[in-house]
């Protein structure tokens, strides 16, 4: 797929996207020697085996064997195609792409550009209605009652949709937008009798929903009267721009604050989120009235591995918290709970008690399992065996989802203390739950990653490490080493590509080799050798030694083959003579030396 883009375009995008910067927006990287390490996002593990090499712009996981350059990482993490990964990285640094061959891709890009333009223009239209149109008066009054400041209205670009059934239909027509495009954007709905269209959003306060770059991709509309015979909120449907289960409201404005704070606050609604911002808590996001999904958890994990759930204390809030919780635990995210006391939600609590009180609520958010243990004890009768067992089972079930021995041990001890039993008894019951989980739902611990492709013989891997980590050796290797000497097909391919680059007057980087070798197994081989931190002292001496040993091993294989053919009883005399001469030549080759590389190359 790299052929869709010119080499220069890919190199420009790669150079502008430092791999450490890109990956650190998704994972918390820690420096180790010359590399950075993290827990691998592509398989479950307890100790870091995911390495990022800043100098060679390569990553590699020694656990699951995935590796490659910055494009490969985005493909794997975002689960997108190579062209889409290129587009995402180009957008990240403001590079405009010229799609050179992919007509379908160009059509999709044009459609999305027209949709972005439409969404931006209707946002401005609804902002104007809210600011100064008579149709926006109910929304202005509602916001005043809720205490939303003019600054917040501007920051979040709030708007108002007029109550007419055809306001957006007529507005779009006046701006030259085709009805089919406006329907694709989720703004209008086709009438069942085929006689035309009507507006989706009517007489509602409008919250624009943005992607992480701040572009409007959808809308959420809230009714303005409590007695309205319709849903309180409606959201845009699924469109080419908007996928509700993969979007948080407010993330475009909070992602920097989340990184700075080290955790994300998750609340329930748009007005709650705006109130949090007004109270000085900017590291906050809100799902869009949908069940919390694995995509939501993965999106949050890009920015932090800790979340504070700030939901209402009523039954609906508790259920929403429970839905989010298990998915967050499965994703390896630490969860705390900032419980807003009844009868408040975050918005009303801030209006009544002030910003400082809310900030304190978030600061002092309780570890989820401490909160959960207290809640279980409040709803189950600890005076009965049944009640104690329910507490034990519920704590164990969720604790085991963390797959973290320290967390499990800590809260097993607390559970034992509350129930008045021994820690050994609690741990024993947890082990039974773990075994039951394996039987009922598969293994409690993740299955080990699939074994990687067969590694090259040590000598051939040694050669690859020398060439990938010391590119100045490639000219000498191209003159004195034959790829035929290598037995491992992947290693031989990598060496051949290195030599091809050299013949074109280029010393290839590991990242360039990844693009030239699209097979995942070969990308993994390149990345593993490129990030390997084992020392390679005196590389010019080492490559000469490796070359001699590879050549001699190849000669030995040729000699053995000649001897086997000489042992054939029906061999003709001319063929026997030719084989004897070949043997003599091979033995002579084995006695010749190789010149060392020029030290000046280093």
């Amino acid at each position: 797929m790299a052929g869709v883009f010119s080499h220069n375009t890919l190199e420009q995008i790669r150079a502008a996207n430092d791999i450490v910067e890109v990956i650190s927006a998704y994972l918390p990287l820690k420096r180790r020697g010359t590399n950075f390490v993290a827990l691998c996002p592509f398989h479950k593990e307890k100790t870091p085996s995911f390495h990022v090499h800043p100098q060679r712009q390569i990553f590699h996981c020694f656990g699951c064997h995935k590796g490659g350059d910055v494009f490969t990482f985005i493909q794997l993490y975002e689960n997108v195609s190579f062209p889409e990964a290129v587009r995402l990285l180009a957008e990240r640094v403001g590079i405009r792409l010229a799609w050179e061959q992919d007509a379908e891709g160009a059509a999709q890009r044009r459609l999305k550009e027209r949709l972005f333009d439409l969404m931006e223009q209707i946002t401005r239209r609804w902002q104007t209605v809210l600011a100064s149109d008579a149709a926006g008066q109910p929304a202005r009054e509602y916001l005043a009652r809720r205490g939303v400041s003019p600054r917040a209205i501007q920051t979040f670009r709030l708007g108002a949709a007029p109550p007419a059934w055809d306001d957006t239909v007529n507005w779009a027509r006046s701006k030259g937008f085709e009805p089919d495009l406006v329907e694709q954007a989720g703004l209008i709905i086709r009438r069942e009798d085929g006689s035309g269209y009507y507006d989706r959003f009517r007489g509602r306060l409008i919250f624009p929903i943005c992607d992480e770059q701040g572009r409007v991709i959808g809308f959420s509309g809230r009714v303005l009267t409590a007695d309205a015979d319709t849903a309180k909120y409606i959201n845009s449907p699924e469109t080419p721009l908007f996928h509700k289960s993969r979007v948080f409201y407010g993330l475009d404005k909070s992602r920097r604050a989340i990184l700075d704070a080290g955790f994300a606050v998750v609340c329930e609604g748009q007005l709650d989120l705006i109130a949090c911002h007004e109270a000085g808590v900017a590291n906050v996001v809100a799902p869009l009235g949908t069940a919390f999904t694995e995509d939501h958890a993965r999106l949050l994990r890009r920015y932090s591995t800790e979340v504070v759930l700030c939901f209402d204390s009523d039954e609906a809030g508790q259920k929403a918290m429970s839905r989010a919780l298990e998915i967050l635990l499965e994703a390896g995210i630490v969860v705390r709970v900032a419980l807003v006391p009844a009868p408040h939600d975050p918005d009303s609590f801030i209006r009544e008690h002030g910003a400082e009180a809310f900030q304190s609520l978030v600061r002092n958010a309780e570890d989820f399992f401490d909160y959960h243990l207290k809640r279980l004890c409040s709803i189950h009768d600890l005076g009965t065996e049944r009640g104690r067992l329910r507490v034990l089972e519920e704590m164990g079930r969720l604790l085991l989802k963390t797959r973290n021995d320290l967390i499990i041990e800590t809260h097993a001890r607390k559970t034992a203390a509350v129930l008045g039993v021994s820690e050994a008894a609690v741990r024993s019951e947890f082990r039974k739950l773990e075994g039951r989980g394996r039987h009922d739902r598969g293994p409690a611990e993740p299955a080990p990653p699939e074994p990687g492709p067969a590694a090259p013989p040590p000598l051939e891997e040694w050669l690859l490490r020398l060439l990938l980590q010391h590119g100045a050796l490639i000219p000498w290797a191209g003159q004195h080493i034959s790829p035929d000497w290598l037995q491992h097909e992947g290693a031989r391919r990598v060496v051949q590509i290195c030599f091809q680059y050299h013949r074109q007057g280029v010393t290839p980087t590991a990242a360039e080799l990844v693009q030239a070798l699209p097979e995942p197994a070969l990308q993994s081989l390149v990345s593993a050798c490129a990030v390997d931190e084992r020392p390679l002292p005196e590389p010019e001496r080492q490559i000469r030694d490796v070359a001699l040993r590879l050549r001699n091993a190849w000669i030995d294989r040729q000699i053995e083959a000649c001897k086997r053919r000489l042992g054939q009883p029906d061999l003709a005399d001319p063929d026997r003579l030719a084989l004897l001469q070949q043997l003599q030549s091979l033995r002579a080759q084995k006695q010749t030396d190789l010149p060392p590389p020029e030290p000046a190359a280093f």
Side-chain angles (χ1 to χ4, degrees):
M1 292 302 292
V4 173
F5 308 96
S6 71
H7 176 77
N8 288 341
T9 297
L10 292 177
E11 286 309 302
Q12 182 187 7
I13 295 169
R14 182 188 285 115
N17 283 279
D18 178 77
I19 195 168
V20 174
E21 284 186 17
V22 171
I23 294 181
S24 63
Y26 293 81
L27 308 173
L29 295 178
K30 295 182 179 179
R31 183 176 285 279
R32 180 184 292 173
T34 59
N35 287 357
F36 290 84
V37 299
L39 293 175
C40 180
F42 306 123
H43 78 284
K44 299 289 185 183
E45 61 179 3
K46 295 181 179 179
T47 56
S49 58
F50 182 89
H51 290 242
V52 183
H53 197 293
Q55 183 181 356
R56 299 185 182 98
Q57 293 292 294
I58 284 289
F59 77 91
H60 185 81
C61 175
F62 290 96
C64 67
H65 312 288
K66 287 184 170 63
D69 63 357
V70 68
F71 298 116
T72 314
F73 178 82
I74 294 297
Q75 278 185 265
L76 293 171
Y77 197 96
E78 297 284 5
N79 192 27
V80 296
S81 65
F82 177 76
E84 184 67 8
V86 174
R87 184 190 66 78
L88 290 171
L89 290 169
E91 285 183 355
R92 178 180 180 272
V93 293
I95 294 175
R96 188 170 180 83
L97 286 174
W99 292 67
E100 296 164 349
Q101 298 175 15
D102 190 342
E104 181 182 350
Q108 290 177 353
R109 188 194 75 246
R110 286 193 298 271
L111 171 61
K112 287 188 175 182
E113 286 177 349
R114 290 163 63 213
L115 288 170
F116 277 126
D117 181 38
L118 170 58
M119 300 301 264
E120 176 60 26
Q121 290 202 41
I122 192 65
T123 298
R124 293 177 186 174
R125 154 72 176 160
W126 285 335
Q127 282 184 285
T128 301
V129 173
L130 177 62
S132 56
D133 197 297
Q137 184 64 25
R140 290 194 291 272
E141 293 174 354
Y142 176 83
L143 290 171
R145 290 196 302 271
R146 298 295 296 258
V148 179
S149 71
R151 183 184 63 178
I153 291 171
Q154 287 297 317
T155 298
F156 290 91
R157 305 188 68 187
L158 303 188
W165 286 74
D166 58 357
D167 184 82
T168 300
V169 172
N170 293 333
W171 170 87
R173 186 184 299 117
S174 73
K175 295 294 183 181
F177 292 111
E178 317 86 45
D180 181 61
L181 180 73
V182 186
E183 183 183 19
Q184 284 193 71
L187 298 175
I188 60 176
I189 301 170
R190 190 185 300 269
R191 295 185 184 278
E192 290 185 5
D193 62 6
S195 62
Y197 299 85
Y198 62 93
D199 294 2
R200 181 181 298 276
F201 298 98
R202 305 180 305 278
R204 289 178 180 263
L205 175 65
I206 298 296
F207 300 86
I209 302 162
C210 299
D211 64 12
E212 290 167 80
Q213 287 76 48
R215 300 172 301 184
V216 179
I217 57 175
F219 299 98
S220 184
R222 192 196 192 284
V223 294
L224 297 170
T225 57
D227 58 351
D229 187 21
T230 184
K232 182 186 291 187
Y233 281 93
I234 60 170
N235 296 318
S236 292
E238 297 286 301
T239 74
L241 300 181
F242 180 66
H243 304 283
K244 186 167 63 173
S245 64
R246 303 178 195 171
V247 176
F248 280 113
Y249 180 70
L251 182 58
D252 59 305
K253 296 172 181 64
S254 65
R255 54 184 184 161
R256 182 70 258 172
I258 293 171
L259 291 170
D260 292 342
F263 66 95
V265 178
V266 179
C267 65
E268 288 187 77
Q270 292 94 322
L271 286 169
D272 287 337
L273 180 141
I274 292 171
C276 291
H277 272 262
E278 296 261 80
V281 178
N283 54 318
V284 59
V285 295
L288 291 162
T290 184
F292 206 90
T293 67
E294 292 179 2
D295 286 325
H296 282 132
R298 195 164 81 168
L299 189 56
L300 282 178
R301 198 181 157 87
R302 292 186 197 173
Y303 300 97
S304 177
T305 55
E306 182 177 348
V307 162
V308 171
L309 297 178
C310 186
F311 289 179
D312 301 351
S313 57
D314 60 15
E315 189 61 27
Q318 294 297 304
K319 287 181 178 178
M321 188 183 300
S322 298
R323 286 196 300 268
L325 172 74
E326 296 199 23
I327 292 170
L328 290 168
L329 293 178
E330 290 276 9
I333 294 175
V334 175
V335 182
R336 294 189 289 136
V337 175
L339 194 63
V340 181
H344 292 294
D345 56 25
D347 177 32
S348 64
F349 180 86
I350 290 166
R351 281 188 276 123
E352 183 166 324
H353 297 282
E356 178 55 41
F358 183 73
Q359 291 171 11
S360 175
L361 198 70
V362 171
R363 256 194 324 270
N364 298 316
E366 190 174 23
D367 175 271
F368 167 77
F369 287 106
D370 289 338
Y371 156 80
H372 191 54
L373 180 58
K374 285 190 287 190
R375 183 167 183 269
L376 289 173
C377 291
S378 71
I379 61 178
H380 296 294
D381 183 1
L382 299 189
T384 67
E385 182 177 320
R386 177 183 175 82
R388 291 195 299 274
L389 282 173
R390 288 298 302 274
V391 171
L392 186 66
E393 288 174 357
E394 283 299 306
M395 283 296 292
R397 184 179 67 83
L398 291 182
L399 281 167
L400 291 171
K401 286 183 179 293
T402 69
R403 301 187 179 94
N404 185 301
D405 291 340
L406 179 61
I407 292 174
I408 294 170
E409 181 72 18
T410 298
H411 291 284
R413 186 165 60 250
K414 292 181 179 181
T415 302
V418 167
L419 297 181
V421 297
S422 69
E423 293 178 33
V426 170
R427 287 195 294 270
S428 174
E429 290 303 310
F430 282 3
R431 283 194 293 272
K432 291 178 185 176
L433 288 171
E434 188 175 26
R436 192 187 312 162
R438 287 198 186 101
H439 177 73
D440 295 340
R441 297 177 297 276
E445 283 292 329
E450 291 293 323
L459 202 59
E460 297 179 19
E461 183 180 350
W462 193 357
L463 173 64
L464 293 184
R465 289 179 58 215
L466 285 162
L467 296 180
L468 292 169
Q469 297 185 26
H470 299 281
L473 293 171
I474 292 176
W476 182 92
Q479 185 176 355
H480 297 287
I481 295 177
S482 168
D484 292 339
W485 297 350
L486 280 68
Q487 294 181 279
H488 187 276
E489 182 180 352
R492 186 165 59 249
R493 283 276 308 283
V494 173
V495 170
Q496 288 170 337
I497 294 291
C498 284
F499 293 171
Q500 287 176 17
Y501 269 97
H502 170 59
R503 287 193 292 272
Q504 297 166 8
V506 177
T507 299
T509 65
E512 287 173 327
L513 288 173
V514 165
Q515 289 306 314
L517 297 162
E519 299 94 326
L522 296 184
Q523 291 183 347
S524 174
L525 177 59
V526 168
S527 60
C529 293
V531 304
D532 195 320
E533 290 188 292
R534 289 174 292 174
L536 291 170
E538 300 182 70
E540 65 276 19
R541 178 186 59 79
Q542 287 202 40
I543 196 165
R544 178 171 171 269
D545 292 346
V546 169
L548 282 169
R549 293 167 64 183
L550 285 171
R551 185 202 66 182
N552 291 345
W554 176 82
I555 290 174
D556 286 343
R557 292 194 296 273
Q558 300 303 308
I559 289 174
E560 287 302 314
C562 286
K563 289 180 177 179
R564 284 195 298 273
R565 291 187 62 192
L566 284 169
Q568 295 174 358
D570 56 348
L571 189 66
D573 288 342
D575 293 336
R576 185 178 301 277
L577 180 60
L579 284 170
L580 290 170
Q581 291 172 341
Q582 185 179 349
L583 271 175
Q584 186 177 3
S585 174
L586 287 168
R587 287 168 177 151
Q589 285 181 50
K590 196 171 179 179
Q591 302 306 312
T592 62
D593 207 347
L594 293 175
E598 292 290 334
F602 299 87

